[in-house]
Structures are given as structure tokens and as C-alpha cells.
Amino acid sequence: MATNIRDVAKAAGVSVATVSKVLNGYTTVNEQTKEKVLKYVKELQFRPNQAARSLVGRRSMTIGIFLTTGLAHPFFARILVGMEQALQAKGYDLIYLAQMSWGKEYSFVRHCQSRNVEGVVVFGFQHEVTDFGELIESDIPAMFIDLDIREGRAGFISSDNREATERAVAYLAKLRHRRLAYISGNKDSYVDIHRFAGFRAGLEQAGIPYRQEYTAEGDFTQEAGYAAMQRLLALPEPPTAVVCCSDMSAIGAIEAIREAGMSVPEDFSVLGFDDIELAGYVRPALTTVRQDMIAIGRKVIEQLDALITDETLDPPAAIVQTELVVRDSCGPAKAD
Amino acid sequence: MATNIRDVAKAAGVSVATVSKVLNGYTTVNEQTKEKVLKYVKELQFRPNQAARSLVGRRSMTIGIFLTTGLAHPFFARILVGMEQALQAKGYDLIYLAQMSWGKEYSFVRHCQSRNVEGVVVFGFQHEVTDFGELIESDIPAMFIDLDIREGRAGFISSDNREATERAVAYLAKLRHRRLAYISGNKDSYVDIHRFAGFRAGLEQAGIPYRQEYTAEGDFTQEAGYAAMQRLLALPEPPTAVVCCSDMSAIGAIEAIREAGMSVPEDFSVLGFDDIELAGYVRPALTTVRQDMIAIGRKVIEQLDALITDETLDPPAAIVQTELVVRDSCGPAKAD
DNA sequence: CTGAAAGCGCTAACAA
DNA sequence: TTGTTAGCGCTTTCAG
């Protein structure tokens, strides 16, 4: 059986209260006694039972995680890596609330409460999919990734989507492209709205008029990228370059371009977004905007911890820098 | 504040004991009372506090997870997807014990105990890296993935590595390759031992004598695959086909073959293992052994649940079927 | 500076 | 069939 505080107290010849005080850093304990207690804590490898701890109102050191998109999301793994570092630094464990499915009978908030979760990180891209009202009203500290919710005790974090896309357009413009297209992600998603805004801003910067027909709707997937590109190519005056809202769309777009008998980057430039692992392996290797998912993971925990430990803190809207990774999918515009 | 059992009892006009009995499925409760209690449970959205529950010795419905390799492992995401299904079905939540680092000061087992974890899944590939002795002695039900530990209350699960590789060799032999090489993973890993055994068995089946010099040591990475292939290519009589212990090694191997001025699959056939996402995207697309990581994830939880709920159960050694995915990286041997 | 005792939310004997 | 009560392991007043 696991050792408990009484075992330690008995071994050290003190009361459980004293052991508890030592463990919780009270200064009202004699240095001698403290040493003695600590000695037995180490010897017995005692770790206070978290359940009992959180029961008496102490911190549970548990953070919950929820994904609206399911575990299969391509970034999830990397975000987790980043979270891991911060989790360790701050002393939290991460609990994946598996039974969750938002809706009528089931209450995510209740689930969190029953698990004594101190805070929760939510990862997803669409507002409509789920109703976060209950969570926001619950006053459980929360951090959203790629979802601009900032209300009550909930903040969010995301990449600098707008600037990143603006820079991407500038890069393409420097390659002398003038007919620039945009393949969007899901139209109402936070990231798409900002990337699209960046696209338009970039156009303006470069003195290129915006053309409605050069915006093709997608949904972040390869299939959508493929279909969107086909539509773009069917235009009377097709574009010569495209910025895609995701690497997967970019891959789909390249597929469509190839099928139309053209090659990338000679005839057409394709710029992606994300820099997923695949990006460096497909041919041509993708020129793309790298999102620093590890930094996002780390920061989301740091911010959440801040929210948890400081009740008065205004919920953050954290932005993480991106970087344009130049590979082989973009080239100079052909003089025509 | 979260509702507790007393709130429900008060609302329903019964004692807390009655509420508890209803919730725990005791049959000694009047049908009327039960209905009434259930009504208020639903109305107040009551969920018993897990901490209190596990404190009194009830099940915590919590499974811990530990990765010797860190979160960045390429399979982890897919395994998680599989685990998710089973977790939901069985009603567990998953806790990632983040502060862990095995060794002197830190006890993984204590950590599990302090979190009232009912069972734990461990994922990694090398025995040496960590000492699992403490875990095995602790009697905490455990399931290892790709690590053949079967002792006490610990079992394991893995793909049919031996048969898979044997089949892969048979496939290559059918393409009339006779000079078959093997690029290994870490030599002492469970999976490599079995894959290598399968390689030799396949050779024997095909009536091809084993040649020591055709076995090149790697460590699952792309770099190792690249280096191993270079060594193979430098042989006086180089092989014409290679089976690699991972897709990443296969990708590295292809790189080396190209650099040597040959092409895949025309001059050299390369067969991978895993079928990671990349496998279908690199050129040539990899012919490879697909590991069903989703099934592994699902099964590992099911087996762990069995171990948890049945104290007398013998720890399982579960094997999951693989499938040879034929793409473009293997072709017929050139008649020479 | 130390310890006795109450109580966190829940379950399980035991009484009624 | 229901309620009273002790106690899980811990923290925290409050006396000593």
C-alpha cells in the first residue's frame, strides 16, 4: 500500500500536522524538526495523495484538455510537446477528459469540476461546433488555441496569422507575381479570417488590386485545396501564384496544377501555411509559413498557469511569431 | 460552486446515503425514491467528486500514461486516437503524468499512487532506458506497447513484427530479388529483434542464404537509414533490395540510393515499416508494412481495463495484425 | 513551535 | 427501505 502522511509522522515522531506544515512550506516549523521530517519523506518516498489534497481545497495541480477536432489533429502532437515542458516546470499533470462530448445530457464543466481541474485548454478552430458559454460562465480558467475567445476567465493564443500572410504575399510580390490567389480554410474560423485579412493587406502593400474571383473557398484539407485550385485554373485569366491556408491544401493545389499540365514552381507558385512535417518531404518541398506549435504549447500552459494563480489577471490574447520557410514551391513569375 | 451530494440530498428530501446508493446502483432503494433522486441529479447536473470518491477507496476511473520516448513519437497521436475510443467506452479519463523522469529522487510509482491511477500504459522501445522494476513490483496494472514485459500485473501489446517482416521478404522474393538486405532499428529493441527474426525466416522460406554483410545497423531514424544504405552500397556485391525497420529509415535509404546515381524502384527496391503519414507522400511512395496503431491504442486500453477489473487475469501478450501496403518503392529485380 | 481536532465530499457499515 | 455515522488522507484553525 502507498505510504501516507501518518506513516511519515509516525516514523519522524511528530504529528501529521507538522508533516503537513513542512510539506506546505510553512515557516513556523523548527529547522531541526523540518530536517527530520524531510528525511523520512525522502526515505519513504512519500507523495501526498492528490485526491485528499484537492478535497481539502488545496490545489489539484491538474489541467484538463479538450479538443473540438479530436485527437487526430495534425498539430496536436507538437503542441503537446510544448505543453510538456511548461507542465513540468509548473508542476501540473494533464488530464484528457475522454468522455466528453458537449451537449444536452453531458456537461463538460461538471466533468472538470468532478475532476478538480484547475484550468482547461481548448483546441479547435470553429466557433459554431460547440457552445463554450457554459465553460465561460463557470469561471474555470481556460485558454483557447486558435479560437478568439476572451471573456470571463478565458483567454486565447494563436499565431500572428495576419502578419504572416501579409509577409507571404510580400514575398510572392517580390517574385513579381501580380495575379495572386488565396485558398481559404473554413470561412468562419478565426485563423482564416485573419489570414485573409493579411492577404488583402499584403496585396494593398504591394499595390495589387484585390480580385474577388481569386479567392477560393476551402476547409484546410487536401481535397478542398485540390478542388479550389481546379476552380482557380478554370478562370479566363488564372492566377500565377496562390497562398493556401494550410499545407494540406497546398499539397492538394499542387496536385491540381500538375494535372492541368503545369509544374510548380516553374508555371505556378504555391505557398502553404503551418509547416507540418510533410512540407519538407513532398516534391517540390513547400515554401510555407511555419507555426511554432511548440512555443504555442508552452505558452498556453504558462498563460493558463498565470490565469489560475492570479485571479485578477485579465485573460490574455497571446500571439506567437511565425517564420516564412523558403523551399521550392515558389519561383519568380514568368514574364508574359 | 460545484454541486455536491448534500445539495442533491436536500433537494430530493432524502439523506446523502440514499443519493449515494442510487448513484452506485444499489438495489436496496425504493423505485420511487430512486426516480426522485435521479431527477434532481439530472436537474442539478450533479457529478460526484472523483477525489472524494477515490479517497474512500472507490475506483478513480483514471489511467496514467507514460512515454519513454517523449511525446514527439510519430505514432503517439494515432495510438491516442485508438485509446480515445476505448477510454470513452470504458469510462476512463487519461492522465499524462508530466513530471515524470525516472530515477533516483523521483518515483513514478509514487506519482501514480498519489494520483490514484488504476492502471498505466507505457510506450517506448528500449528496455535499457528505464528501469521498470519498481512499476512491476508495485502491482499497478500496466500495459507496455512494443516492449515485451509480461510479469506481475504487466502485459504488453505489439504488432506481428515477425510475420510482417517474413511476408515482406516473401514479397520481395516474388519480385525475384535474391540479394536482400536489412536495415535494423535499435539492435536490442523488442521490435527489431522480431523483425530481424522475420527477415531471416523469410529468407529461409525463399531459399535465400543469409548474408551477414547484408545486415546494416540503424536506429529507426532517417539519418541512420541513410548511413546504413551507404554502407550497403559500398559492398563489393551490393544488394538489390532492402527491408527497413521503419519508414524514416527507408526514406533515408532512398536518399542514399539516389545520391549513388540509382533510382528506386528501377535499380533498387526499398520496403519500409510503419506506414506513417509521410509514406504515401514521398516519391516514390513507400511500399511498407502498415501497423494498425489505432487498433493498438484501442486494444491496449481494453486489455488494461481487463487487467484492472479482473485481479486474477494473466497479463496478456497481445499481437495486432499488420498489412503490406504496396506502393511504388519496390519493383522486380533486374535480370543481371 | 507543536499537536488535537474539525472537516473537505463521498461511501459503507450499521441502526432504525 | 432509509438514515446516522465513521473514516478515506489531507490541511488548517486553534489551543497548548
Side-chain angles (χ1 to χ4, degrees), chain A residues 153-208:
Chain A
R153 310 262 292 140
F156 75 98
I157 187 168
S158 192
S159 288
D160 60 349
N161 296 289
R162 197 182 185 290
E163 294 80 75
T165 320
E166 197 173 332
R167 269 181 282 129
V169 170
Y171 173 73
L172 254 12
K174 219 174 71 188
L175 289 171
R176 285 197 304 281
H177 287 279
R178 304 284 300 171
R179 303 211 300 273
L180 292 179
Y182 176 76
I183 294 180
S184 80
N186 302 53
K187 259 311 186 190
D188 43 11
S189 63
Y190 166 79
V191 298
D192 187 70
I193 291 167
H194 285 253
R195 289 175 197 172
F196 182 59
F199 176 73
R200 299 211 42 175
L203 248 32
E204 198 158 333
Q205 280 290 327
I208 303 171

Side-chain angles (χ1 to χ4, degrees), chain B residues 5 20 26 46 49 53:
Chain B
I5 200 171
S20 175
Y26 284 62
F46 172 65
N49 181 306
R53 239 160 175 242

